[in-house]
């Protein structure tokens, strides 16, 4: 039995030189390495350009948000008290976003007592803004929950007007400030 096992083992050839097992072509592994490197660089470049191309979406301005909310309120036509509450929130949210006035985070009493209330609102728009907010407070606390579509539409249009006036005045103030800075810079030369 042991004799058959010895016959089954093949014999190795003695005359194979070690150089036959070495890579004869230097360029073949180099080409493979460069090919893999190019594929990886292409993949990284594609990922970079894809990530760079996907910019964050532009957030709507406080005015756009207020306009949308006013449109929704105009469609729904809730009772007078609810309309005044929602209009007050829309206007206060706009003021907080547009002028950084903390009106949204205050009660009406806190807002009324604050000496610098609406100081960041353009001077020409402060009276109309304060008047509208005061009128909304009166309606809010009057407890009147009846429907008055004409009054609600009038309040919505008044809020639209205040929002547009504030935005327009801020643009004009920014343009004036830029012009003054330009003149000041030119006169400093």
């Amino acid at each position: 039995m042991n004799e058959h096992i010895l016959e089954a083992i093949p014999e190795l050839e003695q005359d194979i030189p070690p150089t036959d097992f070495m890579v004869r072509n230097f360029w073949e592994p180099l080409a493979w390495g460069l090919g893999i490197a190019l594929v990886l660089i292409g993949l990284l470049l594609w990922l970079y350009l894809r990530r760079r191309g996907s910019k964050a979406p532009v957030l709507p301005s406080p005015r756009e948000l207020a306009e949308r909310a006013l449109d929704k309120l105009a469609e729904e036509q809730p009772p007078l008290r609810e309309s005044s509450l929602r209009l007050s929130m829309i206007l206060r949210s706009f003021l907080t976003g547009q002028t950084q006035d903390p009106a949204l985070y205050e009660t009406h009493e806190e807002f009324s007592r604050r000496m610098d209330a609406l100081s960041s609102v353009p001077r020409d728009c402060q009276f109309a803004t304060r008047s509208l907010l005061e009128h909304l407070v009166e309606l809010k606390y009057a407890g009147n929950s009846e429907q008055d579509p004409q009054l609600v539409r009038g309040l919505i249009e008044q809020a639209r007007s205040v929002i547009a006036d504030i935005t327009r005045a801020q643009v004009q103030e920014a343009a004036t400030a830029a012009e003054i800075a330009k003149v000041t810079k030119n006169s400093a030369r």
Side-chain angles (χ1 to χ4, degrees), residues 1 42 53-54 56-57 59 63 68 71 80 89 93 95 100 108 120 132 135 140 147 156 158 168 184:
M1 185 169 195
S54 62
L59 297 176
R63 181 179 181 177
R68 288 179 196 163
D71 290 341
L80 188 57
M89 286 301 292
S93 296
L95 290 172
Q100 285 69 46
H108 180 70
S120 55
L132 179 57
H135 187 62
K140 180 169 53 172
Q147 293 280 16
I156 290 172
Q158 194 175 354
R168 190 177 315 108
T184 305

Side-chain angles (χ1 to χ4, degrees), residues 95-112:
L95 290 172
T96 300
Q98 187 76 15
T99 65
Q100 285 69 46
D101 189 274
L104 180 63
Y105 309 109
E106 298 173 318
T107 64
H108 180 70
E109 285 181 358
E110 292 171 334
F111 174 75
S112 297

